[in-house]
Amino acid sequence: MALTGLIYTYYRYLPLVKRCAKREDLDDVQRYTSSADLFFLKKDHIVNQHLIDIESLAPIRINVRSDFNNLQERIIPVNLLRHMTSVDVINTQYGQINSLLTLRGQLFSVPTISDASSPYQSRRRKVGPGSRMGGFTRILWSGYVTPNLVLALATDHSNMGSHAWYLLETSGPSFSVAEPEPIPILTNITSVYVEMIAFCNLLVAWTDTDGDVHVMDLQGVVDGTVLHSVLPKVNNLGSPVAAIYGLELHVNGDLLAITHAAKNSFVIVTLAKLTKSDGGIEVEMVQATSDNYSSVDVFLSEDTMYFFSDQDIVNDVSSPWGTRAPMPHFEKPLSVYALPLTSNPDLMVTIPELNTNLAEANSEGTELVETSPLVFELSNLVQRSYRLSFIPSGNHFKILTANSGLILLGTVQGENAMIIAWFEKIPGSLPIEVPIVSLDGVEYAGVTNNRAYFYLIKNDKLFVYENSLEEVMQLSEGIQPYYAHTANLALHIQPQLEYMQMYTEAWRLLRDYFYNKNMHGVDWPNIYVL
């Protein structure tokens, strides 16, 4: 069909009309342009940049469907930095590396690819929620149990939106209107801090808004039994285990490192020794670091705990309150420390008093590997940590991996963020420093649950790296990394269901945390119905 005119909203033509029309016509022009109706302007109506015969214009009839209609489904392109709440990576039996992404309440299993590979080697799957449930059931966190089974934390709308743990299959979408809803393995959970969930070797630990630390063993789920325990709130030295900053599980599931505030507001680490029994999980709380300084960002290798500490920092300003009195220019560099957890740990450097031998790198990372039991020696932990002197103090922010042969740190040098590795080039020699990759433009860095991989988010791509010496050296040589195939991935949201979930969540939070347990006599269940 030939174009015979222009479709324009009348108010956009107003500047042209005011500039070209005669002064006595302006009142009429204002009268005709007071609305934002859509008109079809034919060539006959525009002569020498003037509008003529405007009385004959009639608005075009348009049926507008507003985006604010609660019944309309919205399709939102994925933005990793904004939408992602958790990520996990696993190597399948076919050699394909898959990523598990929790994105704005929805769960996807996507393959990792490189620019040289085809993205169609493995398909993307939406694990949940299924059709017409996007928003009502929100998946908050997820982790791989096996390549075909995931552990997920989600809202339980059958229990007033409380949090619940589920085991979901990756083969098809769960929480769908066409399928029976999955049965939670543990429900009625107070709101969980998603950023502080530790999961490894069928053991999951989390902390909630009540300040409690929970541990759940998934080993007996098949038999219908779930071991769930709430950890004590005081360690062996009488320090309260409150104001939790982070959780880290040992690869064997026998130890849980809890980073929390001490009485004097310094940050310390308490190790919870977990022993499974028929009656539940027995817990022994042992303070691992001193409360005279702060210890943060714990990484548990097989027999050693690595962490950052500021205990070597000395203020250059004299003060009657001591050298550690806070000052505006108080330096913030951190040093890397190691704490042996066994009587004969496998360390990168020799400690004379322990008479340890240097060991070769052990950089293989696999899932659910049967390992020989370790005998942990947890006495006098506070006095046993030592500094890795070959790593200079600096503005470190993340321990990506640490074992007897490789230490990988995220650090800031000047204005540049870098990933730097320390490893023994020759067995028995002093570890050398190798800059691996610049983090310019990187928005986030993290480690997977099984610590076999670490990942970076850059330019809305999730880059995945294996935590091994070989992979790290290839990365330093500029070999193209793998990244999760999230191109054109979109979220399907039902606003009406999302608003309902938000209402239920707000109602439940007021029920659980309102300062007056009686709600001042208000019939709170009836308020929800109204």
Side-chain angles (χ1 to χ4, degrees):
M1 186 175 80
L3 181 63
T4 60
L6 297 174
I7 297 179
Y8 240 92
T9 50
Y10 211 91
Y11 66 86
R12 294 187 60 184
Y13 235 92
L14 182 59
L16 178 62
V17 174
K18 281 189 175 181
R19 185 172 65 250
C20 301
K22 296 179 181 180
R23 181 175 300 274
E24 57 269 17
D25 296 333
L26 288 181
D27 292 338
D28 292 335
V29 170
Q30 184 65 39
R31 177 166 54 86
Y32 281 101
T33 59
S34 59
S35 65
D37 292 329
L38 198 64
F39 295 91
F40 184 77
L41 303 181
K42 297 183 179 181
K43 294 180 180 180
D44 300 334
H45 294 121
I46 306 174
V47 177
N48 296 327
Q49 295 187 343
H50 286 75
L51 287 179
I52 63 173
D53 197 19
I54 57 178
E55 292 81 2
S56 64
L57 295 177
I60 300 176
R61 292 182 174 273
I62 298 178
N63 185 13
V64 179
R65 295 184 179 271
S66 172
D67 189 47
F68 295 98
N69 190 326
N70 287 341
L71 300 179
Q72 182 182 359
E73 183 182 39
R74 299 179 184 177
I75 301 178
I76 303 175
V78 167
N79 184 302
L80 291 177
L81 191 62
R82 290 179 54 194
H83 296 151
M84 193 179 73
T85 57
S86 72
V87 58
D88 200 11
V89 179
I90 198 169
N91 197 342
T92 68
Q93 58 183 341
Y94 305 106
Q96 173 70 48
I97 300 176
N98 285 346
S99 299
L100 191 67
L101 307 180
T102 308
L103 303 167
R104 200 178 183 267
Q106 302 188 20
L107 185 56
F108 297 86
S109 178
V110 301
T112 58
I113 61 174
S114 67
D115 291 337
S117 63
S118 171
Y120 304 105
Q121 294 177 354
S122 179
R123 59 178 296 189
R124 298 190 297 202
R125 297 178 183 272
K126 186 175 183 180
V127 182
S131 175
R132 291 182 289 173
M133 292 291 284
F136 191 53
T137 298
R138 296 179 62 85
I139 299 178
L140 309 173
W141 179 94
S142 61
Y144 277 115
V145 179
T146 67
N148 300 320
L149 190 67
V150 301
L151 175 68
L153 177 71
T155 56
D156 184 4
H157 62 84
S158 64
N159 193 12
M160 292 301 179
S162 64
H163 294 177
W165 290 103
Y166 296 87
L167 285 176
L168 308 177
E169 296 182 356
T170 60
S171 57
S174 302
F175 303 104
S176 174
V177 294
E179 300 290 339
E181 289 193 14
I183 300 176
I185 58 178
L186 185 66
T187 187
N188 200 27
I189 301 173
T190 308
S191 298
V192 176
Y193 287 114
V194 177
E195 64 276 9
M196 286 186 286
I197 296 177
F199 176 52
C200 190
N201 200 19
L202 296 180
L203 202 71
V204 59
W206 69 92
T207 182
D208 55 29
T209 48
D210 288 337
D212 295 325
V213 178
H214 300 252
V215 176
M216 181 175 64
D217 182 21
L218 302 179
Q219 194 72 46
V221 171
V222 179
D223 302 330
T225 58
V226 176
L227 297 180
H228 170 232
S229 295
V230 180
L231 274 57
K233 289 194 173 184
V234 179
N235 62 25
N236 63 327
L237 299 184
S239 180
V241 182
I244 310 300
Y245 291 104
L247 302 175
E248 177 80 5
L249 271 170
H250 189 270
V251 66
N252 287 353
D254 299 329
L255 287 178
L256 173 65
I258 307 171
T259 306
H260 62 95
K263 292 181 179 179
N264 57 4
S265 298
F266 282 112
V267 181
I268 63 175
V269 180
T270 294
L271 287 178
K273 186 177 181 181
L274 309 175
T275 304
K276 302 173 186 177
S277 63
D278 295 337
I281 302 176
E282 299 178 0
V283 183
E284 179 185 0
M285 306 288 283
V286 182
Q287 185 170 322
T289 61
S290 173
D291 58 2
N292 293 326
Y293 46 83
S294 291
S295 303
V296 296
D297 200 60
V298 174
F299 188 98
L300 290 176
S301 69
E302 187 174 2
D303 49 23
T304 306
M305 184 181 84
Y306 297 88
F307 58 94
F308 293 142
S309 179
D310 62 355
Q311 59 180 292
D312 293 320
I313 306 304
V314 178
N315 197 345
D316 59 353
V317 176
S318 60
S319 169
W321 297 280
T323 59
R324 294 191 60 83
M327 295 291 177
H329 65 285
F330 191 76
E331 299 180 2
K332 297 182 180 180
L334 298 174
S335 301
V336 183
Y337 279 74
L339 174 61
L341 300 177
T342 62
S343 58
N344 189 25
D346 196 11
L347 302 172
M348 182 179 286
V349 293
T350 303
I351 305 176
E353 61 268 26
L354 294 179
N355 192 25
T356 58
N357 297 321
L358 294 168
E360 297 180 356
N362 177 20
S363 57
E364 297 182 359
T366 54
E367 298 79 20
L368 299 178
V369 177
E370 293 290 339
T371 57
S372 57
L374 295 173
V375 179
F376 294 108
E377 178 58 48
L378 302 184
S379 60
N380 299 321
L381 288 179
V382 175
Q383 292 80 25
R384 284 163 51 183
S385 62
Y386 66 97
R387 179 185 171 188
L388 300 182
S389 57
F390 57 88
I391 301 179
S393 300
N395 191 8
H396 309 306
F397 60 87
K398 189 67 177 179
I399 301 178
L400 296 175
T401 189
N403 53 48
S404 61
L406 174 66
I407 295 179
L408 201 61
L409 302 181
T411 185
V412 177
Q413 295 183 347
E415 297 181 355
N416 300 321
M418 297 285 295
I419 292 180
I420 299 179
W422 281 267
F423 65 95
E424 298 171 357
K425 188 173 183 180
I426 301 175
S429 63
L430 191 67
I432 63 173
E433 175 183 343
V434 178
I436 299 300
V437 64
S438 173
L439 296 181
D440 292 341
V442 172
E443 291 95 355
Y444 190 81
V447 185
T448 60
N449 295 320
N450 53 23
R451 295 187 289 280
Y453 300 89
F454 68 94
Y455 57 89
L456 307 173
I457 298 179
K458 183 177 181 180
N459 298 328
D460 206 31
K461 284 187 177 181
L462 180 71
F463 294 94
V464 178
Y465 307 88
E466 186 179 351
N467 256 337
S468 65
L469 182 59
E470 294 79 7
E471 181 86 1
V472 168
M473 294 310 299
Q474 290 181 1
L475 181 60
S476 65
E477 297 171 359
I479 297 179
Q480 186 67 29
Y482 283 84
Y483 58 90
H485 178 40
T486 58
N488 301 321
L489 191 63
L491 304 173
H492 292 252
I493 302 295
Q494 299 283 348
Q496 186 180 28
L497 299 180
E498 197 168 59
Y499 299 154
M500 186 184 304
Q501 190 274 333
M502 292 162 58
Y503 173 80
T504 304
E505 185 82 0
W507 179 91
R508 183 182 64 84
L509 289 175
L510 281 174
R511 181 199 64 182
D512 294 342
Y513 297 106
F514 193 66
Y515 71 94
N516 187 290
K517 294 295 183 181
N518 191 36
M519 306 296 290
H520 292 300
V522 175
D523 187 358
W524 199 242
N526 190 44
I527 290 294
Y528 179 82
V529 176
L530 295 176

